[in-house]
Amino acid sequence: MSSTQSPPAPAAMHLVDYTNPEAVKQVPTRNGFGEGLIEAGRRDPAVIAICADLAESTRMEPFKNAFPDRYIEIGVAEQMLVAMAAGLAAAGKIPFIASYAMFNPGRSWEQVRTTMALNQTNVKIAGAHAGVSVGPDGATHQAIEDIAIMRVIPKMTVVVPCDAVQTKKATLAVAAAWGPTYLRFGRAESAVVTTDETPFELGVAQTLRAGTDVAIVACGILVYDALLAAEELAKDGIAARVVNNHTIRPMDEAAIVAAARDCGAVVTVEEHQVHGGMGSRVAEILAARHPVPIEFIGVHDRFGQSGSPHELIAEYAMDASSIAAAARRAVQRKAALRGSLL
Amino acid sequence: MDSLTPKRLVELQTHANDVRQGIVRSLLAAGSGHSAGSLDMADVFTALYFHVLRHDPANPEWPERDRLLLSCGHIAPVRYSAMAYAGYFPVEELLTLRRFGTRLQGHPERVSLPGLETTSGPLGEGLAQGTGMALAAKMDGKDGRVYVVTSDAEHQCGLHFEAMMTAPKFKLDNLTCIVDRNFIQIDGSTEDVMPLEPLADKYRAFNWDVHECDGNDISAFIETEARARRIAGKPHVIIAHTVPGKGVSFMEGDYLWHGKPPKADEAAAALRELTAGREALTAHV
């Protein structure tokens, strides 16, 4: 992939009319995982599911019912979940292991590194209930560090799809592609902006909206908020490009550099700590290849707390208006920078 | 097949002596590494590689093979030495232990050396992975067996207990856990650092098929393993009682040899002792 390659035109993305609330369905991304897993099981008999006492909430239950001989329940044992899966994978299986992201991979990081990644086994971690949007359970159950701890492990694929439809496609894609993988999804009802026709390819970021004033690079359920922010910015005459950066590793560097080059300012958006996550990777790429002002949307050095998903997204300044405000700051910094260079 | 002829036993004891010499030579060349546990498990590894395991050194990925996992990766020297003498790679390669560019990493890495079933070093992870491999064999109707060698001290790890609880659920009678019960760990006696006894009762309480034997008696280990594999419906554990540093008199029973290699003069003394022992064995035949 060369850095001069243009991203696909947004028109080819077949999005729903996200500006019309009536047209936007609300479905948890975990549902897409459940649908994708059962389809992956139909396509490949090597696909198995291992669960740590959360079959219903991780959406593994339909797989359990469809393929009881390929479903393994091990109870509340997240280190076991990873290490046992590594053994099954070493014997030729393609295990999907599911629990809450806080525990899988949160509790099992060293097992992930040694038995799964260093060992080069084909295990797929499914981290459910990620982000603050899991809501009332509070800080202990809100994984907002998981992208950081997974993306530092060599050769680990990290995928954060934007909605339920894309989560299904991502699940199928990671089942078909060899390699240790972390797939992250959430519990809250969230906007479905892509359709069955929307293309999806691991490692290829998607330009969902054209623009050259500022690039909003987002992942996960906040991609919808990024699109709404772009609408808000358009009313001020700011044309924001929106990039769905669903694969955090390996990241689509060409799309990131093209966005920075074309727009001159970037906002990163993720339901995660700003330290070490998707935005940090974007900053690493741009610092090396095309430095521009960057604003970071995410949780800033705090833990989560109880609340509704909506309340929490607002409290941690990850909603559309916060994204739009960050974009305006980025545009101002770009202008100031250009002024200082004149 | 369960009991050995006297000739076969001497043959295996001679192999064990070779394996111990390989351990001493490789540790001396490396200048670091774990002596006591490596030496005390030489008899078990010899029994496994030269008698028990169904394997093919010329075809390490043979799908019908039995799998041997070393959970306590720090005693890698005994595994490497047994593999070399069994024909997986040249014995001279043992002298590359822990050197830059070697296939014999300080702790074993699956991707580095054909014939290793997994990467190990961080303790407590082997039985969990072996449980997965044994379950996969059951799912696929394969009759290959899975053996996991563990240290005693790694029974202090929570993940090992997760595996102890999981394997009986799936009735994995194709899985055998072998415990090197030498009672030492880096900081001293296991019973001082964090008591493990009654260890056999812990396995019984988790519904394992439990056996104990002298882990430095090759024929006792082989007979115990043969007895265990006839028990259906449960995973097996063999608690192998060993003497740390076994075979080198000045190391035997001393926990301070857990994590250090012999110096040149110590290695020379150890090799003299082992050579004499080997000559005494072959004189018997």
Side-chain angles (χ1 to χ4, degrees):
Chain A
M1 206 179 312
S2 88
S3 62
T4 54
Q5 187 182 339
S6 294
M13 288 293 154
H14 303 281
L15 301 184
V16 302
D17 177 11
Y18 53 83
T19 61
N20 172 13
E22 302 289 310
V24 177
K25 280 193 244 167
Q26 298 285 330
V27 182
T29 47
R30 60 177 169 163
N31 288 17
F33 169 69
E35 291 169 18
L37 183 61
I38 201 163
E39 179 61 29
R42 284 193 198 104
R43 292 184 188 181
D44 189 342
V47 169
I48 62 172
I50 318 179
C51 188
D53 197 36
L54 289 167
E56 195 279 328
S57 58
T58 59
R59 296 293 190 259
M60 272 192 163
E61 203 151 70
F63 186 96
K64 171 189 178 177
N65 297 331
F67 305 106
D69 295 344
R70 289 197 259 148
Y71 175 81
I72 298 163
E73 171 63 72
I74 61 155
V76 192
E78 292 83 10
Q79 297 175 64
M80 185 69 191
L81 190 61
V82 176
M84 183 178 172
L88 281 150
K93 303 296 181 189
I94 304 173
F96 278 78
I97 57 174
S99 180
Y100 295 166
M102 197 53 247
F103 315 122
N104 172 48
R107 182 173 279 190
S108 57
W109 187 84
E110 190 275 319
Q111 284 77 40
V112 171
R113 179 182 184 271
T114 305
T115 71
M116 176 178 156
L118 179 59
N119 225 4
Q120 290 185 23
T121 56
N122 193 19
V123 177
K124 317 297 183 183
I125 303 172
H129 291 43
V132 295
S133 64
V134 62
D137 280 343
T140 57
H141 286 55
Q142 293 168 352
I144 47 178
E145 301 83 7
D146 53 319
I147 294 173
I149 63 172
M150 286 296 99
R151 83 171 181 94
V152 292
I153 296 176
K155 313 297 183 201
M156 178 70 72
T157 297
V158 179
V159 188
V160 185
C162 70
D163 63 20
V165 170
Q166 187 159 86
T167 304
K168 179 179 179 181
K169 291 176 193 160
T171 304
L172 286 165
V174 304
W178 189 93
T181 301
Y182 176 47
L183 177 67
R184 181 197 213 226
F185 49 89
R187 174 181 188 272
E189 304 235 307
S190 55
V192 177
V193 294
T194 67
T195 74
D196 288 343
E197 282 71 44
T198 310
F200 178 82
E201 192 179 339
L202 285 176
V204 181
Q206 301 173 310
T207 300
L208 302 185
R209 186 183 168 108
T212 52
D213 292 330
V214 60
I216 304 174
V217 178
C219 66
I221 62 172
L222 296 180
V223 166
Y224 174 61
D225 300 79
L227 288 165
L228 295 184
E231 282 297 309
E232 191 180 319
L233 291 162
K235 291 174 191 149
D236 299 351
I238 297 172
R241 174 180 301 190
V242 176
V243 177
N244 174 21
N245 194 25
H246 51 71
T247 305
I248 288 147
R249 184 186 190 136
M251 194 173 281
D252 186 345
E253 295 199 20
I256 301 303
V257 171
R261 187 191 58 222
D262 296 348
C263 304
V266 170
V267 179
T268 66
V269 180
E270 63 196 306
E271 194 189 356
H272 185 271
Q273 297 285 356
V274 295
H275 296 157
M278 182 274 283
S280 294
R281 180 63 196 146
V282 168
E284 289 161 8
I285 292 167
L286 293 181
R289 295 185 55 184
H290 195 96
V292 295
I294 307 176
E295 294 285 326
F296 300 92
I297 292 286
V299 179
H300 287 259
D301 204 19
R302 296 167 69 190
F303 286 108
Q305 58 184 298
S306 290
S308 73
H310 177 76
E311 287 167 331
L312 293 167
I313 295 291
E315 166 62 22
Y316 292 89
M318 299 186 286
D319 56 343
S321 61
S322 299
I323 297 168
R328 290 189 193 97
R329 288 197 300 275
V331 169
Q332 281 164 10
R333 286 174 59 197
K334 175 174 76 170
L337 197 63
R338 288 195 176 150
S340 72
L341 293 173
L342 286 175
Chain B
M1 72 166 246
D2 295 357
S3 50
L4 304 168
T5 63
K7 180 167 176 287
R8 176 67 177 145
L9 179 58
V10 168
E11 207 172 273
L12 290 172
Q13 286 168 334
T14 308
H15 287 315
N17 189 294
D18 289 340
V19 168
R20 286 194 165 89
Q21 298 205 31
I23 292 167
V24 171
R25 286 182 211 281
S26 62
L27 283 168
L28 175 65
S32 67
H34 294 73
S35 299
S38 299
L39 287 164
D40 76 42
M41 284 301 277
D43 301 302
V44 166
F45 272 84
T46 299
L48 289 169
Y49 273 109
F50 289 89
H51 195 83
V52 174
L53 289 181
R54 193 168 57 166
H55 67 129
D56 179 3
N59 183 12
E61 301 294 313
W62 180 39
E64 305 306 313
R65 72 189 181 281
D66 292 335
R67 293 170 186 258
L68 173 60
L69 287 77
L70 174 61
S71 185
C72 41
H74 61 276
I75 64 164
V78 66
R79 179 164 198 163
Y80 294 147
S81 187
M83 286 175 74
Y85 282 101
Y88 280 85
F89 56 86
V91 169
E92 303 76 57
E93 194 172 337
L94 290 174
L95 301 182
T96 70
L97 176 69
R98 290 178 167 241
R99 295 281 177 82
F100 181 71
T102 185
R103 300 196 293 175
L104 312 186
Q105 291 289 301
H107 291 83
E109 285 196 25
R110 181 172 92 115
V111 296
S112 179
L113 181 68
L116 297 179
E117 298 291 352
T118 194
T119 297
S120 59
L123 293 172
E125 296 177 347
L127 191 59
Q129 294 171 79
T131 299
M133 291 177 192
L135 182 55
K138 289 274 184 193
M139 292 169 87
D140 292 342
K142 289 191 171 172
D143 60 1
R145 304 180 56 81
V146 179
Y147 296 85
V148 182
V149 170
T150 70
S151 72
D152 47 6
E154 70 179 314
H155 286 68
Q156 293 156 1
C157 299
L159 174 53
H160 188 85
F161 272 82
E162 294 179 12
M164 279 173 71
M165 190 175 281
T166 305
K169 168 180 171 173
F170 297 104
K171 302 181 168 50
L172 299 178
D173 49 16
N174 56 344
L175 174 68
T176 301
C177 179
I178 300 164
V179 183
D180 176 15
R181 188 62 173 125
N182 65 8
F183 281 83
I184 63 162
Q185 58 191 108
I186 294 179
D187 279 355
S189 157
T190 57
E191 302 313 288
D192 291 336
V193 174
M194 181 54 66
L196 297 173
E197 290 300 324
L199 186 57
D201 285 347
K202 289 182 171 70
Y203 276 96
R204 279 187 202 102
F206 281 70
N207 293 319
W208 284 64
D209 167 45
V210 181
H211 303 264
E212 298 195 58
C213 72
D214 179 346
N216 293 127
D217 179 337
I218 290 177
S219 64
F221 176 80
I222 285 173
E223 283 169 22
T224 303
E225 195 283 323
R227 200 160 55 245
R229 71 161 68 202
R230 287 197 294 266
I231 308 287
K234 288 179 171 189
H236 318 285
V237 60
I238 300 173
I239 299 175
H241 293 269
T242 62
V243 175
K246 179 73 180 179
V248 176
S249 54
F250 60 88
M251 292 186 186
E252 286 185 6
D254 184 352
Y255 82 89
L256 291 174
W257 283 100
H258 174 93
K260 69 171 182 175
K263 296 189 178 71
D265 56 331
E266 294 163 335
L271 290 170
R272 270 198 305 277
E273 190 179 334
L274 288 166
T275 304
R278 195 181 195 284
E279 283 164 4
L281 275 171
T282 45
H284 259 299
V285 183

